[in-house]
Structure formats: structure tokens, C-alpha cells
Amino acid sequence: MSAHIAVVTDSTSCLPEQLAAQWRISVVQVQLHVGDQTDDEHRFDRSELIQTMKSGAAVTTSPPDPGAFFWTYQDAASAGASAIVSLHISGRLSQTVEAAREAAQQVRIPVHILDSGTASMSLGYAAVSAARVAGAGGQLERVLDAAERRVRNSTELIYVDTLEYLRRSGRIGAAQSMLGSAFAIKPLLTVRNGEVSPLARVPGTKRAMNRLVDLAAKAAGDQPVDLAVTRFGSDESEIVRKLRERVPGAGEIVVGDASTVIGAHVGPGALSITVSPSN
């Protein structure tokens, strides 16, 4: 079997299963804790989790066990990989990247760990770019460059119904300054310098969603872009329609569910738009 470079990411990348399978990207599951149950996040029923959160019950998260990374890396090596590029959620939002680094030290082939400084499909698209170059036979430096360039140029735009869940989880970052806003004022956020940061305060959900589309259109400009809309108990249909109208350079818009781990931090009703230049 010819040597190749394997690409690994974690479940906060929000990669749809078919996209991960298409590009042969291995996805390691982050852990979710709900009451007495702790398991890989994809094993939790999304609707039940949202109701649990709305009831006020504690929902927390933790990185994958290093063993999960170790066996994923071992499987890649056994399949003939000469090296692994492993891309992960910002180290300021999760210790996942540290778990990956710990596991990488125990693997017989080189494992290159990339702290993306972001999450959601900004991370997902970086993994896809890396896998596309690797699949075409690109050298390690080109694979890493493709991932880093995609992360650097992508924009994550986030609507949350309330900042309470980010506050509880300690992931509120610079958006702390927005706490105390009136209930009807909806926060728009981004990920900047590896942490959640404020963008705007907008009165009402409808206006906030319209502003989110405005920001996406501005970030995209006229350049070719990939767009993704991820939701956690929210309706994305109107957002997708408006994005098709407002972003002339958009290719296919990937629509999917947010990782339940991300949902645990942003809360029910959250929605994000990823704008990622595709050239």
C-alpha cells in the first residue's frame, strides 16, 4: 500500500458524516456529560439534550480520552499512512488539542498537531482542505499550509439566544462584556484569537438573524466561498435562502447540526454561519 498523509479532526468540526467519509477524514469524538452519563457526544439524542438544557440541568464537556486519539492514529499508521495531520478546536476553548499531543507522542509515525484557534466548520473546512491536498499526493508542507491558510481566512459568525450557557461553561471569553444586556437584545459573536468574542448587540431574533446574513455577505464579498450553516435547535431555512441571494460567490451551502458539545456551550436556539474562501 502506498504511503499517504492521514487527516484527523475532532467532532467540534461539525463535519457532516458524508463529507468526512468523502475525504477520508477520521473524526475523534469529544465527550459530553449529562447527569450520570458520560459518553462520546454523537451518542446523545439531540432533542433530549436540548430539553435537558432548557430544564436547567447541568451539561458539561471534556476532551476525548488520549486513548481515542492513540487508536485513531494507530489505525492510520496500520493503513499505510506515512504521517498524520491532526487539526483541532482552539486550545483556549478546549483541552482537546492537548489530548491529541499526548497521544501523538506514543505513535511510531510523525503526527503534526494543529491548534486551529477556532471551531465548527471553520475547523471542518480546514480538515477538508488538508485532506484534499493529501488525497492528491501533496507533500506534508502543502497539507499543513492548506489547513492553516483555510483557518486563517475563514470567519465564524454566531447567533446565541442567550449568553447564559457560555457563562456557565466558562467559554464566554471577551463576550463577557455583553453580559447584562436586556433580554430582548440578542448577541452576535465570533471566534477571534482562539476565544469567543463579541460582534454586535441586536434587538430581537429576526433582526439579529438578518444582521448575521449582512455580516456573512460582507465577509464573503465577491470572492468564491464555501458557506456552512450549523444549528442547535434553531430553524436555518430562512438564513439559507437569504445567503443564496446575498452571496454571489457561494458554492454549495453545507447545512447541518452543530456538534452537541458546541451546543452545550452556546445553548438551544443557537446558529452559526461559516464563511470560508475556497480559492
Side-chain angles (χ1 to χ4, degrees):
M1 182 177 293
S2 60
H4 64 277
I5 298 170
V7 176
V8 176
T9 189
D10 62 72
S11 52
T12 66
S13 63
C14 301
L15 271 176
E17 287 184 12
Q18 66 272 20
L19 203 55
Q22 177 185 349
W23 294 105
R24 300 178 64 188
I25 299 168
S26 298
V27 180
V28 176
Q29 295 289 313
V30 180
Q31 299 274 294
L32 197 61
H33 310 273
V34 182
D36 295 331
Q37 184 181 3
T38 296
D39 210 333
D40 292 348
E41 64 158 298
H42 75 286
R43 297 184 184 277
F44 288 85
D45 181 272
R46 182 174 302 272
S47 298
E48 290 180 4
L49 177 65
I50 289 172
Q51 292 307 312
T52 297
M53 294 178 68
K54 287 181 176 179
S55 75
V59 176
T60 59
T61 65
S62 64
D65 186 282
F69 279 116
F70 173 77
W71 289 112
T72 299
Y73 297 157
Q74 284 288 87
D75 287 347
S78 298
S82 59
I84 299 168
V85 172
S86 200
L87 306 87
H88 300 293
I89 183 174
S90 167
R92 300 185 72 174
L93 297 174
S94 170
Q95 292 299 306
T96 295
V97 73
E98 292 303 324
R101 288 180 178 134
E102 181 180 336
Q105 296 174 7
Q106 305 171 50
V107 182
R108 67 178 186 272
I109 62 174
V111 182
H112 301 266
I113 307 293
L114 176 63
D115 180 342
S116 71
T118 188
S120 194
M121 280 295 291
S122 288
L123 170 58
Y125 279 133
V128 168
S129 285
R132 183 182 290 121
V133 173
Q139 297 299 307
L140 176 63
E141 293 75 14
R142 289 190 58 222
V143 175
L144 289 168
D145 180 68
E148 290 168 351
R149 186 170 62 250
R150 200 74 185 266
V151 164
R152 187 167 57 247
N153 293 331
S154 293
T155 302
E156 202 68 30
L157 303 167
I158 307 162
Y159 164 87
V160 295
D161 202 45
T162 172
L163 289 168
E164 178 60 21
Y165 296 97
L166 282 165
R167 184 195 65 77
R168 289 181 196 173
S169 68
R171 268 67 168 192
I172 196 165
Q176 177 84 27
S177 62
M178 301 176 81
L179 282 173
S181 296
F183 179 75
I185 301 298
K186 299 302 180 182
L188 300 183
L189 311 169
T190 189
V191 180
R192 184 180 294 126
N193 299 322
E195 66 176 13
V196 177
S197 297
L199 277 179
R201 298 180 178 92
V202 184
T205 297
K206 185 173 181 179
R207 289 183 181 179
M209 292 293 190
N210 287 338
R211 183 68 179 279
L212 204 67
V213 172
D214 290 342
L215 291 167
K218 182 178 179 181
D222 295 326
Q223 65 185 322
V225 293
D226 290 323
L227 295 177
V229 177
T230 55
R231 69 278 166 119
F232 189 67
S234 53
D235 180 6
E236 81 292 343
S237 55
E238 187 67 9
I239 289 282
V240 172
R241 183 186 67 79
K242 290 179 178 179
L243 286 171
R244 294 191 193 283
E245 293 175 353
R246 297 284 307 280
V247 184
E252 181 182 0
I253 300 176
V254 174
V255 179
D257 290 318
S259 147
T260 51
V261 160
I262 289 180
H265 297 301
V266 295
L271 181 143
S272 72
I273 301 173
T274 305
V275 182
S276 187
S278 52
N279 53 9

